[in-house]
Amino acid sequence: MSMYDSPDAHEQDRTQPEGLTGILDALASAISGARAMPMSSSVLVNRAELLDLVEQARDVLPSQLTRADEVLADADQARVEAQADADALLARARERAAQLVDAEEVVAQARQRAAEIVREAEQTAEMLSRDADDYCDRRLADFEIDLGRVLSQVQAGRAKLAGRLSGTEDD
């Protein structure tokens, strides 16, 4: 062991910290646990230990960055898919709303047309009723004229008959 080596250095070589955060924690621990130089803010550190931790950090960093890129890509893909789903749902909702509006408009138009048909039917029925009443009135007037002629003939016949009856009694 050299003066830069500490007894803890060999223990740390045996246990590899996990992940970049673990390596940074090990670096911080090695620096904070290093012996201070007298009359200075400098410390004595184990060069091999720190270089080994730096090398481990370099080894871990690409895999951590790759994983972070994968997570970001997955998150971006999930966001794109969620946006597509939301857009599709919104499009379906707008289409359904348009169908309901169209259906409501069709129903309103149908009700309006039905009201017009009922009005036309009532007007036609009223006109037919008036025409039927006029026809009946004309037929009754014709019948009244015919009855008036028949009545006149009956009255004339009775008068003639009454004249004969009164003339025969005088005889």
Side-chain angles (χ1 to χ4, degrees):
M1 253 198 248
S2 71
M3 75 177 215
Y4 296 108
D5 289 339
S6 69
D8 294 336
H10 294 291
E11 288 177 32
Q12 287 181 356
D13 285 341
R14 287 184 219 131
T15 60
Q16 298 279 329
E18 288 198 24
L20 187 56
T21 306
I23 294 169
L24 292 174
D25 289 345
L27 276 169
S29 175
I31 293 169
S32 65
R35 279 187 269 159
M37 293 192 52
M39 308 286 277
S40 168
S41 63
S42 300
V43 292
L44 295 174
V45 292
N46 182 328
R47 179 181 296 167
E49 176 188 355
L50 293 181
L51 288 175
D52 181 51
L53 288 171
V54 168
E55 189 60 35
Q56 287 178 38
R58 284 185 179 143
D59 290 344
V60 169
L61 193 56
S63 66
Q64 294 287 324
L65 290 175
T66 301
R67 181 64 190 132
D69 286 344
E70 290 172 358
V71 168
L72 287 175
D74 289 347
D76 191 47
Q77 180 63 30
R79 185 193 57 77
V80 167
E81 289 174 4
Q83 184 64 47
D85 289 347
D87 291 344
L89 182 62
L90 186 59
R92 285 194 307 270
R94 285 183 176 145
E95 183 179 326
R96 181 66 180 137
Q99 289 172 348
L100 290 174
V101 166
D102 287 346
E104 187 174 317
E105 188 174 315
V106 167
V107 169
Q109 288 175 351
R111 286 183 179 151
Q112 183 180 4
R113 181 64 184 132
E116 289 173 11
I117 290 171
V118 167
R119 274 195 306 275
E120 289 172 5
E122 288 172 347
Q123 289 172 352
T124 301
E126 188 178 318
M127 185 179 70
L128 288 174
S129 179
R130 270 195 316 262
D131 288 349
D133 288 348
D134 286 345
Y135 175 78
C136 287
D137 186 52
R138 284 193 311 270
R139 296 305 300 159
L140 287 173
D142 289 345
F143 189 57
E144 183 181 22
I145 291 170
D146 289 343
L147 281 178
R149 283 189 210 139
V150 169
L151 181 61
S152 294
Q153 288 175 357
V154 168
Q155 287 174 343
R158 283 187 74 204
K160 201 178 202 187
L161 187 59
R164 276 193 278 176
L165 285 172
S166 28
T168 39
E169 290 178 9
D170 290 333
D171 289 334

